[in-house]
Amino acid sequence: MATARGMKTMYGVCSHAVRQTTGLKAARILQQRAFRVNGALRQQPFDSSEEKPQFPGASAEFIDHLEFIQPNVISGIPVYRVMDRAGQIINPSEDPQLSKETVVNFYQKMTLLNTMDRILYESQRQGRISFYMTNYGEEGTHIGSAAALDSKDLVFGQYREAGVLMYRGFPLDLFMAQCYANADDLGKGRQMPVHYGSKDLNFITISSPLATQIPQAAGAAYAAKRENTNRAVICYFGEGAASEGDAHAGFNFSATLECPLIFFCRNNGYAISTPTNEQYRGDGIAARGPGYGMLSIRVDGNDVFAVYNATKEARRRAVAENQPFLIEAMTYRIGHHSTSDDSSAYRSVDEVNYWDKQDHPISRLRHYMTARSWWSEDNERSWRKQSRKTVMEAFEKAEKRHKPHLDLMFTDVYDEMTPNLIRQRESMWRHIQQYKDHYPLDAYAK
Amino acid sequence: MAASARLLFRGAGLKAYTANVNSGAQSSFGTTLLRLSPNCSSQTKTQIKHASHFTYHPDPVPTMYGPTTKMNLFQSVTSALDNTLASDPTAVIFGEDVAFGGVFRCTVGLRDKYGKDRVFNTPLCEQGIVGFGIGAAAAGATAIAEIQFADYIYPAFDQIVNEAAKYRYRSGNLFDCGNLTIRAPWGCVGHGSLYHSQSPEAFFAHCPGIKIVIPRGPVQCKGLLLSCIEDHNPCIFFEPKILYRAAVEQVPTEAYTIPLSQAEVLQEGSDVTLVAWGTQIHVLREVVSMAQEKLGVSCELIDLQTILPWDTETVCKSVAKTGRLLISHEAPVTGGFAAEISSTVQTPVHTLNQTDSNLSTMAKTRELCKDIRDKIVDQHKAGMGYRTIGQQLGEKATTVGAIIRKWKKFKKTVNLPQSGAPCKFSPRGASVIMRKVRDQPRTIHRTWSVT
């Protein structure tokens, strides 16, 4: 019995804890296991004299009565936050105590993103760009996490992470260029709007298929680990994309292959029109982490500091211990899914208004700043005017630029153009020479 | 999947004549061979035909790549991977069961030699294997992913087609996964049934941005695999599993590459062009000697090697010479890769000699077909000069001028028949007519389609 109890404390596993929900206890259990990373690599040594189960597949205790583990959805994994809804710090020891410049920068980036979203959404409605997706309500998740990373950390996004790119310094001109698909676009005008990418800022180009980036992030993190340059990888995705098979693949691979990777799930309540109760029945995404052997946490995504703290600690440990972390940031998608969506068809305006007025990352941070006299009404007015002006300038510039050169339709399919692509390009030029009256050639770069 | 063959006759106005040499979808390809030569009795000194019989024909010993040693196909794969791991510190090999050496022994010894961080097992998830490989490649590592059987590659189809193939294009060349190579055992093995025998190259051939390569033997395998690994585009390398042990050749021990997208003419001939890849090459080698012996037919045998992007020039040039094309592959015939080859060969292409590509007219000797005459007129309307048009289409400037003058005068590009003026047949035209009539004695001019 003594040995059995000794083992129990060592592993931190007790049948009591097993019957409890996946909660903080589970996190602690796995924390203790984390320091024995190598133990997980070996199968348990086979010893038939012991009364413990000897199965290679799992190392738990025997139990002699039938009991199903109850998934706990009502009081599942708690939500970590630093500020309350009014922007007051709850537990001062959790305040990251960032400098005024840093916090003002957070605020300015969030509001600049908000302004750009408004203007580009309108421009789609006016027929100037073909499509747009806003980030309303999720600015806190972008800025908080981006600020906690190193600039050389690789970012894999889904499509609602423009704030990460903005925080890293992607110029407004290039945001606009991609949305307008003009000749300045780094992506050479090939993709729909909001499919940004930047090699300099270590932001992998967005692709439309959901969750495909998740196993890719695991591979990139593995390569980063082998490079040994203290580089982490972060992978953003929504709670809907987390249902994809690729998400399961990515989680499992990153845990078994010990990758320095942060999985950041933006749980914003909806996947287009599908609410979370139709997306999953378990306790969100964070509860899946322990199933893969991953350290997991749920945070208040509208609290910039909570997001910042969680991401910072996850990054530090991911690189130091070569293991993945799962952060589920709870937030709300205030805007429509995209310009092709009208969310009043599936949710009430009151619900949206609540989040917009009562629990918005921008206003919470603003209250924090005004409480410290870091931001005044005058600051707000002049910043609003300035940010709108810079966005409009970039917008007007982008409107006037040419579209990319037509040859760019045929390059980069392979590293070098193949003979059939060369033939097809020549065929296109011949066709255009002959029917030039039918094509708006003036709009394209020469 | 039994072999399916497409036979094409190039001739004036003839539609493609397609023959399915096997009777049913699932018949073995041993019996198919017998039907090709109905005079062949089972008492000849040819081998006993078992269900999946074929004779492996080894390549001659290569002399330009340094010292060689005897290797079978899986050993040539191991050798290529060994060379890669030795020379490229970022190279990693991963997939199901690769750590202990692999279910086909392709990675034996590599984990012990290079370390468990470089040769490792992944969980059982093909979409994860390829996704992981794409990410590792995009981050700068040389990623060599193994899919345990080509039959199981479909969960990774989205990652391959939507992601790997488009990575460079969609990012404007900011990012790419050219460092990715995917290897998978491929093709019939005799007892593999539905799910250990598939040849899925046709599914992927429809996807620009990736390369697909299939070797016929160990020497080709090592050289082509090393080319794929070196290539800056994501490559899928299918290894004929029936050849893993059966194919033995002298293979160079040092690293060497065989260029991609270059088909190899294994044997020259004059009567028919045979095209195949992988295991079927060896089947067709036997066909070549049987055809010569029993029918007096001289075959030109081409190993396509790279399915995508494929070497259209070599194949079209060969068909222009022989006038007939037969393609043999293991996958189902509908939408199989033979369909792409046969359709390309039959399309008039500017790069070919104009007279050889005029498949649709018969009458006058050097009369250009209507498409080309129309093109000449269109280009003239667009403002090109006679000499430029001629250079572009491979015609003399005087011919171009004559066609344009005729168009200016009569407003038409067709040459209407003139009463009293006899049509002149070239000797070639005459021999085509003779051949057609010999094959189908009841041919009259109206049964031939003339545009």
Side-chain angles (χ1 to χ4, degrees):
Chain A
M1 262 310 121
T3 7
R5 221 188 310 128
M7 269 197 316
K8 279 180 192 165
T9 31
M10 188 168 78
Y11 285 105
V13 173
C14 51
S15 44
H16 187 234
V18 166
R19 268 184 245 135
Q20 295 260 310
T21 62
T22 53
L24 290 168
K25 286 227 167 87
R28 246 181 276 134
I29 292 160
L30 290 155
Q31 274 175 21
Q32 290 181 21
R33 254 188 70 192
F35 291 105
R36 297 190 65 254
V37 162
N38 281 326
L41 285 176
R42 288 193 305 278
Q43 297 287 50
Q44 300 301 324
F46 183 78
D47 182 356
S48 60
S49 65
E50 294 252 356
E51 212 21 65
K52 243 177 94 52
Q54 295 297 316
F55 304 113
S59 55
E61 299 278 332
F62 278 118
I63 189 174
D64 59 12
H65 57 272
L66 179 65
E67 189 172 329
F68 288 102
I69 297 174
Q70 176 95 336
N72 197 319
V73 186
I74 314 297
S75 54
I77 298 177
V79 182
Y80 168 69
R81 65 173 181 172
V82 172
M83 293 188 281
D84 62 16
R85 291 194 187 99
Q88 310 293 325
I89 299 285
I90 299 165
N91 181 353
S93 65
E94 296 291 317
D95 184 349
Q97 292 174 343
L98 299 169
S99 69
K100 179 180 169 192
E101 287 77 38
T102 310
V103 176
V104 168
N105 183 36
F106 284 9
Y107 184 79
Q108 289 181 330
K109 287 286 175 340
M110 289 201 284
T111 47
L112 186 62
L113 176 62
N114 194 284
T115 307
M116 184 181 83
D117 275 352
R118 285 177 205 279
I119 288 171
L120 283 173
Y121 186 92
E122 276 313 302
S123 82
Q124 192 278 342
R125 285 288 180 252
Q126 292 167 13
R128 297 169 195 266
I129 60 176
S130 58
F131 175 81
Y132 192 70
M133 298 177 100
T134 57
N135 303 275
Y136 302 146
E138 301 185 46
E139 298 90 344
T141 58
H142 304 176
I143 303 305
S145 54
L149 299 168
D150 258 19
S151 56
K152 66 178 187 333
D153 291 340
L154 204 48
V155 175
F156 284 81
Q158 181 171 301
Y159 51 58
R160 223 185 283 282
E161 293 90 15
V164 175
L165 210 42
M166 188 163 269
Y167 184 85
R168 284 191 166 185
F170 199 59
L172 285 170
D173 285 342
L174 291 180
F175 276 112
M176 302 278 174
Q178 200 284 328
C179 289
Y180 275 86
N182 66 29
D184 294 333
D185 178 23
L186 298 179
K188 299 178 187 167
R190 292 163 177 159
Q191 290 215 80
M192 282 170 74
V194 309
H195 289 63
Y196 310 115
S198 167
K199 189 159 179 72
D200 294 336
L201 301 178
N202 296 306
F203 190 96
I204 300 272
T205 304
I206 302 295
S207 73
S208 306
L210 292 183
T212 47
Q213 75 275 16
I214 303 181
Q216 291 173 21
Y222 191 88
K225 177 173 84 165
R226 287 207 69 244
E227 268 173 25
N228 218 356
T229 50
N230 285 330
R231 199 179 190 202
V233 175
I234 189 165
C235 180
Y236 294 90
F237 53 95
E239 86 286 354
S243 297
E244 281 276 0
D246 273 341
H248 160 72
F251 295 160
N252 202 16
F253 274 56
S254 63
T256 52
L257 300 174
E258 294 168 358
C259 304
L261 174 55
I262 304 159
F263 289 114
F264 195 101
C265 177
R266 295 174 292 99
N267 188 330
N268 61 13
Y270 290 90
I272 308 189
S273 71
T274 307
T276 51
N277 68 331
E278 288 172 17
Q279 194 65 248
Y280 53 75
R281 277 305 145 85
D283 179 20
I285 314 306
R288 300 180 196 171
Y292 295 99
M294 268 201 286
L295 281 147
S296 317
I297 192 169
R298 175 173 282 152
V299 305
D300 179 347
N302 291 346
D303 176 349
V304 187
F305 296 135
V307 172
Y308 176 86
N309 284 350
T311 312
K312 196 139 185 89
E313 178 66 2
R315 192 220 176 264
R316 185 188 70 77
R317 290 187 62 186
V319 173
E321 297 161 27
N322 282 325
Q323 60 170 322
F325 280 75
L326 173 59
I327 299 173
E328 186 184 14
M330 309 306 293
T331 177
Y332 188 84
R333 192 195 79 207
I334 291 174
H336 306 302
H337 166 72
S338 71
T339 48
S340 310
D341 178 46
D342 175 14
S343 59
S344 64
Y346 51 82
R347 59 183 184 179
S348 72
V349 177
D350 292 335
E351 181 186 310
V352 180
N353 267 331
Y354 165 78
W355 290 96
D356 199 16
K357 304 278 181 295
Q358 317 275 23
D359 194 347
H360 199 289
I362 293 177
S363 38
R364 281 165 80 173
L365 188 63
R366 173 120 170 253
H367 289 139
Y368 176 89
M369 292 199 300
T370 47
R372 281 156 187 72
S373 309
W374 286 352
W375 195 257
S376 67
E377 270 303 315
D378 287 335
N379 289 132
E380 178 69 22
R381 251 196 311 272
S382 66
W383 169 248
R384 250 192 227 184
K385 220 165 107 185
Q386 185 195 332
S387 57
R388 202 186 147 75
K389 181 161 163 290
T390 41
V391 173
M392 287 309 295
E393 273 169 9
F395 173 81
E396 272 149 27
K397 215 168 97 179
E399 287 256 301
K400 299 195 182 82
R401 289 291 283 129
H402 282 128
K403 300 285 179 240
H405 195 277
L406 289 170
D407 278 352
L408 296 177
M409 281 201 280
F410 298 94
T411 55
D412 300 328
V413 178
Y414 293 95
D415 61 333
E416 276 164 22
M417 276 178 69
T418 51
N420 65 330
L421 282 167
I422 295 172
R423 270 201 297 275
Q424 287 160 17
R425 183 184 60 181
E426 281 159 15
S427 167
M428 178 204 73
W429 278 116
R430 276 200 300 276
H431 174 85
I432 289 189
Q433 299 294 12
Q434 189 176 340
Y435 297 107
K436 51 167 100 71
D437 296 335
H438 296 269
Y439 291 96
L441 294 176
D442 293 333
Y444 288 83
K446 300 283 172 285
Chain B
M1 293 294 151
S4 46
R6 274 185 179 276
L7 285 145
L8 292 166
F9 292 97
R10 184 192 65 75
L14 286 176
K15 300 202 180 65
Y17 167 63
T18 307
N20 259 350
V21 185
N22 48 298
S23 56
Q26 310 293 337
S27 64
S28 58
F29 53 95
T31 50
T32 306
L33 283 169
L34 284 174
R35 282 198 207 104
L36 264 176
S37 54
N39 294 328
C40 169
S41 77
S42 54
Q43 276 135 7
T44 55
K45 57 173 159 55
T46 48
Q47 318 85 318
I48 301 165
K49 306 286 187 189
H50 291 300
S52 54
H53 170 86
F54 69 99
T55 306
Y56 178 74
H57 294 80
D59 270 5
V61 181
T63 48
M64 59 282 211
Y65 303 124
T68 64
T69 184
K70 191 167 95 162
M71 288 188 214
N72 61 26
L73 195 84
F74 74 72
Q75 288 166 337
S76 72
V77 171
T78 319
S79 175
L81 298 176
D82 194 348
N83 291 141
T84 303
L85 291 169
S87 61
D88 181 350
T90 72
V92 286
I93 301 173
F94 50 92
E96 293 151 29
D97 304 297
V98 302
F100 87 102
V103 293
F104 287 109
R105 301 207 229 148
C106 293
T107 49
V108 169
L110 296 178
R111 184 177 169 94
D112 289 336
K113 190 166 170 187
Y114 294 102
K116 58 184 174 54
D117 61 323
R118 299 188 71 188
V119 181
F120 52 92
N121 291 339
T122 63
L124 214 168
C125 178
E126 286 75 16
Q127 65 193 109
I129 291 171
V130 174
F132 180 92
I134 293 171
T142 298
I144 303 165
E146 177 178 301
I147 299 293
Q148 198 154 86
F149 283 87
D151 311 56
Y152 310 139
I153 201 167
Y154 307 113
F157 199 80
D158 182 40
Q159 286 281 354
I160 293 171
V161 169
N162 268 336
E163 298 287 314
K166 300 172 167 62
Y167 228 76
R168 189 190 293 276
Y169 187 81
R170 75 188 188 200
S171 69
N173 202 20
L174 293 177
F175 301 101
D176 69 86
C177 56
N179 292 332
L180 174 66
T181 305
I182 301 167
R183 295 176 35 245
W186 168 101
C188 279
V189 69
H191 56 283
S193 190
L194 290 85
Y195 302 112
H196 297 77
S197 311
Q198 287 180 39
S199 310
E201 65 272 10
F203 294 110
F204 296 101
H206 192 55
C207 176
I210 51 171
K211 296 196 175 183
I212 307 168
V213 179
I214 306 178
R216 66 173 182 273
V219 172
Q220 304 300 311
C221 176
K222 179 169 168 173
L224 290 169
L225 178 54
L226 285 169
S227 289
C228 287
I229 293 171
E230 237 179 58
D231 194 273
H232 297 142
N233 299 287
C235 296
I236 305 180
F237 188 77
F238 288 124
E239 300 161 0
K241 64 176 81 66
I242 199 174
L243 299 180
Y244 271 145
R245 292 200 302 167
V248 181
E249 283 172 358
Q250 288 286 330
V251 181
T253 48
E254 300 296 311
Y256 62 97
T257 54
I258 292 176
L260 301 182
S261 296
Q262 279 186 27
E264 194 179 334
V265 178
L266 298 180
Q267 201 161 325
E268 297 211 355
S270 56
D271 293 332
V272 56
T273 302
L274 309 185
V275 175
W277 48 90
T279 317
Q280 280 294 295
I281 288 290
H282 305 287
V283 172
L284 288 189
R285 275 220 196 261
E286 208 176 326
V287 166
V288 167
S289 51
M290 285 171 81
Q292 184 64 68
E293 206 181 292
K294 302 200 185 326
L295 304 172
V297 167
S298 153
C299 304
E300 179 148 297
L301 178 58
I302 298 182
D303 182 0
L304 201 58
Q305 291 185 343
T306 301
I307 307 301
L308 183 75
W310 67 282
D311 185 356
T312 52
E313 207 182 307
T314 302
V315 174
C316 290
K317 224 164 79 174
S318 171
V319 178
K321 180 174 85 172
T322 61
R324 296 179 186 83
L325 175 62
L326 180 151
I327 309 156
S328 182
H329 64 64
E330 285 178 22
V333 66
T334 304
F337 199 65
E340 156 73 14
I341 299 175
S342 65
S343 116
T344 302
V345 163
Q346 291 181 84
T347 313
V349 177
H350 300 312
T351 53
L352 296 182
N353 185 328
Q354 287 303 296
T355 48
D356 289 341
S357 75
N358 295 346
L359 301 175
S360 48
T361 59
M362 186 46 218
K364 295 230 174 117
T365 134
R366 282 197 63 88
E367 183 177 278
L368 299 178
C369 71
K370 187 159 175 15
D371 298 336
I372 299 185
R373 276 179 272 134
D374 286 340
K375 265 194 194 80
I376 289 175
V377 168
D378 290 340
Q379 290 183 352
H380 170 71
K381 283 197 272 197
M384 281 200 215
Y386 295 176
R387 200 187 290 273
T388 330
I389 299 175
Q391 273 168 1
Q392 282 234 333
L393 299 176
E395 282 307 312
K396 289 210 278 235
T398 46
T399 316
V400 170
I403 291 173
I404 291 172
R405 275 193 297 279
K406 193 174 275 187
W407 171 72
K408 280 189 179 158
K409 187 163 180 203
F410 297 105
K411 299 285 174 266
K412 283 200 236 294
T413 51
V414 272
N415 283 345
L416 301 171
Q418 298 160 310
S419 57
C423 269
K424 192 167 112 181
F425 287 126
S426 67
R428 185 191 193 94
S431 67
V432 172
I433 296 177
M434 291 303 294
R435 212 188 300 141
K436 177 73 179 164
V437 170
R438 199 188 327 126
D439 295 340
Q440 286 182 18
R442 288 178 158 267
T443 308
I444 51 174
H445 78 278
R446 238 178 275 131
T447 63
W448 285 3
S449 58
V450 174
T451 56

